[in-house]
Amino acid sequence: QQQVKQSPQSLIVQKGGISIINCAYENTAFDYFPWYQQFPGKGPALLIAIRPDVSEKKEGRFTISFNKSAKQFSLHIMDSQPGDSATYFCAASKGGGGADGLTFGKGTHLIIQP
Amino acid sequence: KAGVTQTPRYLIKTRGQQVTLSCSPISGHRSVSWYQQTPGQGLQFLFEYFSETQRNKGNFPGRFSGRQFSNSRSEMNVSTLELGDSALYLCASSIGRSEAFFGQGTRLTVV
C-alpha cells in the first residue's frame, strides 16, 4: 500500500520556468511533510518542510502548498535553474520531524533545460 | 562540522553471506535512522535508534537488524543475503524532531 503518491515521475522545465511536483497522502495521522532533493551519488538533502497547521511555506525559490482537507501537498520551484536538475522526493511521517519513520513518494526526476 | 559518515561506500557480497554497515552521525545527534533505496521500491524506512534503543521499525524481515552504541554510532546487519537486498542503504541523523541529515549511503551489491 503506497501511502504517499507522487507525480509526475519525470518533469522537464525550461530555465526560468516554474517546476511543480504534487503529492497525495492517505494517513491522516501524518503531521510532518518534508521535501528532499537528491543528486546522483549523494544522499537526500532536506529542502523544505511543512506541518499541517499552515497552508503554505516559502523558502527562497521553493514553496510548499498544503491542502489538509484534500490530503495533498505540492512543491513549487520558481525561476528554475539547471542546477535544480535532480530527483525530488516528498515524504510524510507521524513523528513531527526528524528522519524517523518517513514514508517517501517514488520521486520525480526533474530536468531544467538551459 | 562533519556530516553523516557511512562506511563502506561500496560493497559486493555473495548470496547467503551476511553484511554489516556502519554509520557515524553528526556530533551531538542521538537519533539515527536507516533507509533502503531501490529503483523499484524507492526509499523505505528500516528502523530508528535513539540512545541505544530501537524506537521504531519498518516492515522488513528479521534478517535486517541494527544497533546503536553509546557514542550514537550505529550499525545495521543483514544476514543470509538475497539478490533483492541489493540497494543503496542510507543513514540519517537528527537532534530530536529537527532537520534530518542523510549520509551518502552504502551501495550493496549481492551476486
Side-chain angles (χ1 to χ4, degrees):
Chain A
Q1 180 187 10
Q2 186 182 352
Q3 293 194 54
V4 178
K5 294 184 179 180
Q6 183 172 345
S7 63
Q9 193 172 0
S10 60
L11 181 62
I12 299 174
V13 175
Q14 295 296 315
K15 179 183 174 183
I18 302 173
S19 303
I20 302 173
I21 304 170
N22 300 299
C23 282
Y25 63 98
E26 299 170 4
N27 191 339
T28 55
F30 286 148
D31 61 4
Y32 177 66
F33 303 88
W35 283 90
Y36 284 86
Q37 178 190 58
Q38 186 176 30
F39 292 104
K42 302 290 186 182
L46 179 67
L47 262 180
I48 185 171
I50 198 167
R51 290 182 171 81
D53 54 339
V54 297
S55 60
E56 186 175 281
K57 183 176 181 180
K58 182 177 180 179
E59 289 184 3
R61 296 185 295 111
F62 301 94
T63 299
I64 296 181
S65 296
F66 185 82
N67 186 329
K68 187 175 181 178
S69 60
K71 292 187 287 185
Q72 296 175 347
F73 58 111
S74 60
L75 175 70
H76 291 61
I77 305 174
M78 313 300 288
D79 187 27
S80 299
Q81 299 297 311
D84 297 329
S85 298
T87 301
Y88 292 80
F89 295 93
C90 63
S93 72
K94 294 181 284 187
D100 174 25
L102 288 165
T103 298
F104 282 87
K106 294 289 191 183
T108 295
H109 184 52
L110 174 64
I111 296 173
I112 307 300
Q113 289 188 332
Chain B
K1 190 175 184 180
V4 177
T5 304
Q6 292 188 246
T7 57
R9 290 292 312 278
Y10 303 92
L11 208 48
I12 300 176
K13 289 287 188 179
T14 304
R15 267 183 304 175
Q17 287 186 317
Q18 74 166 8
V19 67
T20 299
L21 312 181
S22 179
C23 172
S24 292
I26 293 172
S27 177
H29 288 196
R30 294 166 63 190
S31 171
V32 174
S33 296
W34 287 88
Y35 287 81
Q36 181 195 64
Q37 185 173 25
T38 61
Q41 298 300 314
L43 282 149
Q44 293 185 287
F45 173 68
L46 280 156
F47 29 67
E48 188 249 358
Y49 285 87
F50 182 85
S51 292
E52 302 179 63
T53 300
Q54 185 182 93
R55 289 198 304 190
N56 197 1
K57 188 176 188 300
N59 189 27
F60 277 81
R63 299 185 298 106
F64 292 82
S65 63
R67 60 178 175 170
Q68 187 180 34
F69 302 94
S70 58
N71 61 359
S72 293
R73 190 178 71 84
S74 177
E75 289 181 346
M76 68 163 282
N77 183 275
V78 188
S79 62
T80 319
L81 284 165
E82 300 177 359
L83 295 179
D85 296 333
S86 295
L88 180 67
Y89 289 90
L90 291 158
C91 166
S93 75
S94 67
I95 296 177
R97 298 305 180 186
S98 65
E99 177 180 354
F101 295 85
F102 280 81
Q104 290 190 286
T106 294
R107 173 74 62 186
L108 172 65
T109 302
V110 182
V111 298

